[in-house]
Structure formats: structure tokens, C-alpha cells
Amino acid sequence: MFYAGVDVGSTTTKAAIIDVNRALVGTSLLTTGADVTLAAQRGFDEAVTAARIEAHDVNMIIGTGYGRYKVTFGHAQITEISCHAKGASFLFPNTRTLLDIGGQDTKAIRVGEGGEVLEFAMNDKCAAGTGRFLDASAQVLEIPLDELGPTGLRARAPIKLSNVCTVFVESEILSHTARGRPVEDIVGGVHRAIASRSVALMRRVGLEEEVTFTGGVSKNIGMQRAIEEALGTTLNVSELSQHMGAIGGALFALERSEGDHAPRGAEVSA
Ligand code: ADP
């Protein structure tokens, strides 16, 4: 018997499948794109293939993320806030604060002992200081996204960014390059600016250790280090951090099919 979480984010769709022993047997990751329903289906199908099982072997499917209602084949939907908290406290049981930086939003969550959500804060409506801001920075500097982190680590005198607005990032970065500032220092400054914003968001929910970092931006080693420096402590980060919401969804699926009987299609708040 298998259980799935399908996390349809604004930027990427992730799915995770676990077995009855909570072992992860398959994952998938793809760009969400314009057809959100298709992304949800493909995310699930690709995770099923990766797990080397058949779709009908999956007992229960939970949809999460901004596009969770597009997981039309799912049995229930749960917010990504609850799913990230669930996944994070499964992988890092001492998690008390969770920072999730995704493609278009940043969330800080205070987590209880069992992975329950105690407090939650989110960045404003715009994408300032989120993955999209980093994507725009990488684009204007003409460096691949996965090199942002290592590049930022080489900064010797990080620039001071005046704001983290995605609309202005291009012109601000270009003005620094025109003044001959090294790319490393620009990227280092971008990371620092986002780190300080993220720490402020975590303080709003009551920062407590251990701190777990999730979402696609947690793959950026430069962001990890910048946040650790701003916090003065180390972060829990896993190779699976981008899949934390999907894993949390799969864990909810397992628990609900063992215990409770959530009606098909119901929004379940945890
Ligand atoms: P969402 O769930 O909001 O759709 P994710 O949590 O998957 O988004 O995060 C997407 C963001 O993660 C991208 O915008 C990008 O900035 C960042 N990202 C993804 N992969 C990498 C990588 N290899 N290195 C650095 N950043 C990455």
C-alpha cells in the first residue's frame, strides 16, 4: 500500500510517494507552467513511475500547494503550511521554526512538537525576496540558477541592496555591474538582503531552534549560509527540502487512511 502527496506550487510541482512504513519510494519535480491540472497529473504519474508501482497501488492522495484544488484525482486537500510542517518535523523532529522559500512566496512557521502549526507569517503579496527574485538576479547576471549559491559564497565585500523588489532588481544589479562590482559581491549582497528579510519574518512568528529551511530556494547553498550567518545558528536542510510539502502530504495521506475518513475533495485544515 502506498500514499502520495502532490504539491502544486506556483513555480514547480512536486510529488512524493511513501510506503506503509513511511519510506520514500518515489518523487517527481517539474515546472508547473500554465496548465496546472496537467502539472498535477504529470507530477503524480512521474512519481508513480519513479516508485515502480501502478497508480492504483496508491491508496490515498493528498493535494497541497497553491494549486491543490487542481489535484482533481486527490482524495483531500491540505494547505502547504500544514504539509511543510508535517514533512519538516518528520525529517527533523526537533523543528520549532520553519522557513519555506518558494518561487513566489516566503513563509515562516512556528511548529509544535508533533509538527502542528502554532503560528504562521507570509511575505507581502509581491514576490520580493522569494525564488523569483533570485531567478531574476541570476538572469540579469547571466549565471545558471544552480551556480548562484556557490558564486555568492565567494563574495568578499557583498553589496548593500537598497530593496528586494523583483521589479527593480534588474536596474539595481546593472548599476552595480556598471560600477565594476564583482558578480560574487552582487550575488552575496542579494543573498544577504533576502536572509535578513527571512530572519525578520521568522522573528514575527517567534524564532526558536531548531530551524528547518525548506522550498526550492533551500537548494541554494549561498542562501543557506547567509541565513545561518544572520541567525547565528545552523539550519536543518535536506536533499528533500524542496519536496517537504509533498512528503508532508503523503504522511497525512497515510495517517488519514489509517485513522480518519476525510470526505473526498474536502479541505482539511490541520
Ligand atoms: P513553489 O513551491 O513555490 O512553486 P519551490 O519551492 O519549488 O516553488 O521553489 C522554486 C524556486 O526554487 C525557484 O524559483 C528557484 O529560485 C529555486 N531553486 C530551485 N532549484 C534551485 C537550485 N538548484 N539552485 C538554486 N535555487 C533553486
Coordinates of all heavy atoms in Angstrom, one line a residue, residues 9-12 14 101-104 131-132 134-135 145-146 215-217 219-220 242, ligand 1:
G9 N 3.0 23.8 -6.7 CA 3.4 25.2 -6.3 C 3.2 26.1 -7.5 O 2.9 25.7 -8.6
S10 N 3.4 27.4 -7.2 CA 3.2 28.4 -8.3 C 4.3 28.3 -9.4 O 4.1 28.6 -10.5 CB 3.3 29.8 -7.7 OG 4.5 30.0 -7.1
T11 N 5.5 27.7 -9.0 CA 6.6 27.6 -9.9 C 6.9 26.2 -10.3 O 7.0 25.8 -11.4 CB 7.9 28.2 -9.2 OG1 7.6 29.5 -8.8 CG2 9.0 28.2 -10.2
T12 N 6.9 25.3 -9.2 CA 7.2 23.9 -9.5 C 6.1 23.0 -8.9 O 5.5 23.3 -7.9 CB 8.6 23.4 -9.0 OG1 8.5 23.4 -7.6 CG2 9.7 24.3 -9.5
K14 N 5.7 19.2 -7.2 CA 6.5 18.1 -6.6 C 5.5 17.0 -6.2 O 4.4 17.3 -5.7 CB 7.2 18.5 -5.4 CG 8.4 19.4 -5.6 CD 8.1 20.9 -5.8 CE 7.3 21.6 -4.9 NZ 7.1 23.0 -5.2
I101 N 11.1 29.0 1.5 CA 11.2 30.0 0.4 C 10.9 29.3 -0.9 O 11.7 28.4 -1.3 CB 12.5 30.7 0.4 CG1 12.9 31.3 1.8 CG2 12.4 31.9 -0.6 CD1 14.1 32.1 1.9
G102 N 9.8 29.6 -1.5 CA 9.4 29.0 -2.8 C 9.6 30.0 -3.9 O 10.3 31.0 -3.8
G103 N 8.9 29.7 -5.0 CA 9.1 30.5 -6.2 C 8.5 31.9 -6.1 O 9.1 32.9 -6.6
Q104 N 7.4 32.0 -5.4 CA 6.7 33.3 -5.3 C 6.3 33.8 -3.9 O 5.7 34.8 -3.7 CB 5.5 33.4 -6.2 CG 6.0 33.2 -7.7 CD 4.9 33.7 -8.6 OE1 4.1 34.5 -8.3 NE2 4.9 33.1 -9.8
G131 N 12.0 33.1 -4.5 CA 12.8 32.5 -5.5 C 12.8 33.3 -6.8 O 13.8 33.4 -7.5
R132 N 11.6 33.9 -7.1 CA 11.5 34.7 -8.3 C 12.5 35.8 -8.4 O 13.1 36.2 -9.4 CB 10.1 35.2 -8.5 CG 9.8 35.6 -9.9 CD 8.3 35.6 -10.1 NE 8.0 36.9 -10.8 CZ 6.9 37.5 -10.6 NH1 6.0 37.1 -9.8 NH2 6.7 38.6 -11.3
L134 N 15.4 35.8 -6.9 CA 16.7 35.1 -7.2 C 16.9 34.7 -8.6 O 17.9 34.9 -9.2 CB 16.9 33.9 -6.3 CG 17.2 34.2 -4.8 CD1 16.9 33.0 -3.9 CD2 18.7 34.6 -4.6
D135 N 15.8 34.2 -9.2 CA 15.8 33.8 -10.6 C 16.1 35.1 -11.5 O 16.8 35.0 -12.4 CB 14.4 33.2 -11.0 CG 14.0 32.0 -10.2 OD1 14.9 31.5 -9.5 OD2 12.8 31.6 -10.3
L145 N 21.0 29.2 -12.5 CA 20.4 29.3 -11.2 C 21.2 28.5 -10.1 O 21.5 28.9 -9.0 CB 19.0 28.7 -11.3 CG 18.1 28.9 -10.1 CD1 18.0 30.3 -9.6 CD2 16.7 28.3 -10.3
D146 N 21.6 27.3 -10.5 CA 22.3 26.4 -9.5 C 23.8 26.9 -9.3 O 24.4 26.3 -8.4 CB 22.3 24.9 -9.9 CG 22.8 24.6 -11.3 OD1 23.3 25.6 -11.9 OD2 22.7 23.5 -11.7
G215 N 11.7 24.4 0.7 CA 11.4 25.1 -0.5 C 12.6 25.0 -1.5 O 13.7 24.7 -1.0
G216 N 12.3 25.3 -2.7 CA 13.4 25.2 -3.7 C 14.6 26.1 -3.4 O 15.7 25.7 -3.8
V217 N 14.4 27.2 -2.8 CA 15.5 28.1 -2.5 C 16.5 27.5 -1.5 O 17.6 27.9 -1.4 CB 15.0 29.5 -2.1 CG1 16.1 30.4 -1.7 CG2 14.2 30.1 -3.3
K219 N 17.9 24.9 -1.8 CA 18.9 24.2 -2.6 C 20.1 25.1 -2.8 O 21.2 24.7 -3.2 CB 18.4 23.8 -4.0 CG 17.5 22.6 -3.9 CD 17.1 22.3 -5.4 CE 16.5 21.0 -5.5 NZ 16.0 20.8 -6.9
N220 N 19.9 26.4 -2.6 CA 20.9 27.4 -2.8 C 21.8 27.5 -1.6 O 21.4 28.1 -0.5 CB 20.2 28.8 -3.1 CG 21.2 29.9 -3.3 OD1 22.2 30.0 -2.7 ND2 20.7 30.9 -4.1
Q242 N 13.0 20.6 -1.0 CA 12.1 21.1 -1.9 C 10.8 20.2 -2.0 O 9.7 20.7 -2.4 CB 12.7 21.2 -3.3 CG 11.9 22.0 -4.3 CD 12.6 22.2 -5.6 OE1 13.6 21.6 -5.9 NE2 12.1 23.1 -6.4
Ligands
ADP1 P1 6.9 26.7 -5.4 O1 6.6 25.5 -4.5 O2 6.6 28.0 -4.7 O3 6.4 26.5 -6.7 P2 9.7 25.8 -5.0 O4 9.6 25.6 -3.5 O5 9.8 24.6 -5.8 O6 8.5 26.7 -5.5 O7 10.9 26.8 -5.3 C1 11.2 27.3 -6.6 C2 12.4 28.2 -6.5 O8 13.5 27.4 -6.0 C3 12.8 28.7 -7.9 O9 12.2 30.0 -8.1 C4 14.3 28.9 -7.7 O10 14.6 30.2 -7.3 C5 14.7 27.9 -6.5 N1 15.5 26.8 -7.0 C6 15.1 25.7 -7.5 N2 16.1 24.9 -7.8 C7 17.3 25.5 -7.4 C8 18.7 25.3 -7.5 N3 19.1 24.1 -7.9 N4 19.5 26.2 -7.0 C9 19.1 27.4 -6.5 N5 17.8 27.7 -6.5 C10 16.9 26.8 -6.9

